[in-house]
Amino acid sequence: MEKTFLMVKPDGVQRNLVGEIVSRFEKKGYQLVGAKLMTVSRELAEKHYAEHKERPFFGELVDFITSGPVFAMVWQGNNVIANARSMMGKTNPADAASGTIRGDFATSVGMNIIHGSDSPESAEREIALWFSNDEVLAYDKTIQAWI
Ligand code: IDP
């Protein structure tokens, strides 16, 4: 079953949006298989955003993601990587449709509430970077037969 890494960024935690965001993915029919509230070291932030190392906003991005607790999650389900990206909305909230998380709750690209893996390769890399094997659970839910 496909898995993805999602993270409520420090702005989302500060704005009490953890429950709202978890609820959206639960209601969609996805299964939460790993979750933790944590502070992020600069080392982890730099590894996570390594692909943006040369971008002018890299320093700002690392400062932001390490500025307060984040809520890191692993979600599982059919096509969860691409569907979670559509539920999040475009990177820049100005372009994100209403009904998406960024479209509904964010106004600036710097503080856009949520991160989600953008491909199967990044999902695999990010889950391994943020979670140990024993923090990602495998369990059955009887409701799964109805999704
Ligand atoms: P994504 O989060 O939608 O996958 P990416 O292009 O991978 O978008 O960028 C990672 C994060 O870097 C974004 O979510 C956003 O917080 C931040 N970011 C992207 N572009 C800018 C920018 O132009 N200024 C400041 N921050 C940016």
Side-chain angles (χ1 to χ4, degrees), residues 49-112:
Y49 282 125
E51 69 174 303
H52 296 304
K53 209 164 47 204
E54 308 305 330
R55 309 279 282 276
F57 58 83
F58 182 70
E60 194 185 312
L61 183 57
V62 171
D63 286 348
F64 169 58
I65 219 73
T66 56
S67 66
V70 302
F71 192 64
M73 300 167 281
V74 181
W75 286 87
Q76 175 174 291
N78 292 330
N79 209 18
V80 67
I81 301 171
N83 272 337
R85 294 282 299 184
S86 355
M87 291 168 68
M88 288 161 50
K90 296 257 174 67
T91 304
N92 187 343
D95 304 323
S98 294
T100 66
I101 292 165
R102 287 164 170 169
D104 288 350
F105 302 118
T107 62
S108 77
V109 71
M111 293 196 185
N112 60 3

Side-chain angles (χ1 to χ4, degrees), residues 15-147:
R15 291 181 52 202
N16 298 321
L17 290 171
V18 171
E20 166 75 31
I21 289 167
V22 167
S23 182
R24 287 187 179 212
F25 291 101
E26 284 183 328
K27 287 175 186 160
K28 175 74 177 170
Y30 289 131
Q31 186 179 2
L32 185 62
V33 293
K36 53 187 172 182
L37 184 71
M38 59 184 285
T39 50
V40 184
S41 65
R42 290 195 79 82
E43 188 192 356
L44 175 56
E46 284 170 8
K47 277 190 192 156
H48 175 74
Y49 282 125
E51 69 174 303
H52 296 304
K53 209 164 47 204
E54 308 305 330
R55 309 279 282 276
F57 58 83
F58 182 70
E60 194 185 312
L61 183 57
V62 171
D63 286 348
F64 169 58
I65 219 73
T66 56
S67 66
V70 302
F71 192 64
M73 300 167 281
V74 181
W75 286 87
Q76 175 174 291
N78 292 330
N79 209 18
V80 67
I81 301 171
N83 272 337
R85 294 282 299 184
S86 355
M87 291 168 68
M88 288 161 50
K90 296 257 174 67
T91 304
N92 187 343
D95 304 323
S98 294
T100 66
I101 292 165
R102 287 164 170 169
D104 288 350
F105 302 118
T107 62
S108 77
V109 71
M111 293 196 185
N112 60 3
I113 307 281
I114 184 165
H115 167 83
S117 308
D118 63 5
S119 66
E121 296 70 32
S122 10
E124 194 178 339
R125 183 184 82 86
E126 292 171 2
I127 291 169
L129 183 62
W130 289 82
F131 284 84
S132 60
N133 283 340
D134 63 357
E135 289 174 324
V136 180
L137 311 183
Y139 63 103
D140 292 329
K141 276 184 153 179
T142 51
I143 198 174
Q144 213 56 41
W146 298 94
I147 291 169

